[in-house]
Amino acid sequence: AAQADSEAVARAAHSLRSMSLNVGGQALAKQLRAIEGAARETGVCPDEAATGRVEDLLGQTVDGLRRHFIMSASVADSPLSSHRSAQC
């Protein structure tokens, strides 16, 4: 059962790491890489400190994405953006 758990952890960490890299979550991906490696190589599942760090980094990544998209929407809605697109 422990081996099955560590395999599931490794797969989940790998998937989330890939998604994190796709959206620029470098720090989150680094933490997930460590969890994935430990699960695959030694069968160790993450402790509360490691999962807490993932939660913190995930929150920071989501906050960064929100700020990015809010800024992008603000720029797209600005009067200058419609002027610029009219010149294209």
Side-chain angles (χ1 to χ4, degrees), residues 26-75:
Q26 302 296 327
L28 177 58
K30 183 178 178 181
Q31 178 70 19
L32 290 162
R33 181 178 51 227
I35 290 172
E36 178 187 1
R40 287 194 194 282
E41 295 167 17
T42 62
V44 173
C45 291
D47 59 13
E48 283 189 44
T51 57
R53 182 77 178 132
V54 168
E55 287 180 29
D56 292 344
L57 292 168
L58 180 58
Q60 292 171 23
T61 301
V62 169
D63 288 346
L65 287 169
R66 283 187 181 125
R67 283 191 304 275
H68 170 78
F69 286 110
I70 288 170
M71 273 196 288
S72 294
S74 295
V75 170

Side-chain angles (χ1 to χ4, degrees), residues 6-25:
S6 64
E7 289 173 9
V9 165
R11 281 192 308 275
H14 179 81
S15 295
L16 187 53
R17 181 172 62 96
S18 297
M19 288 183 267
S20 299
L21 289 169
N22 284 334
V23 297

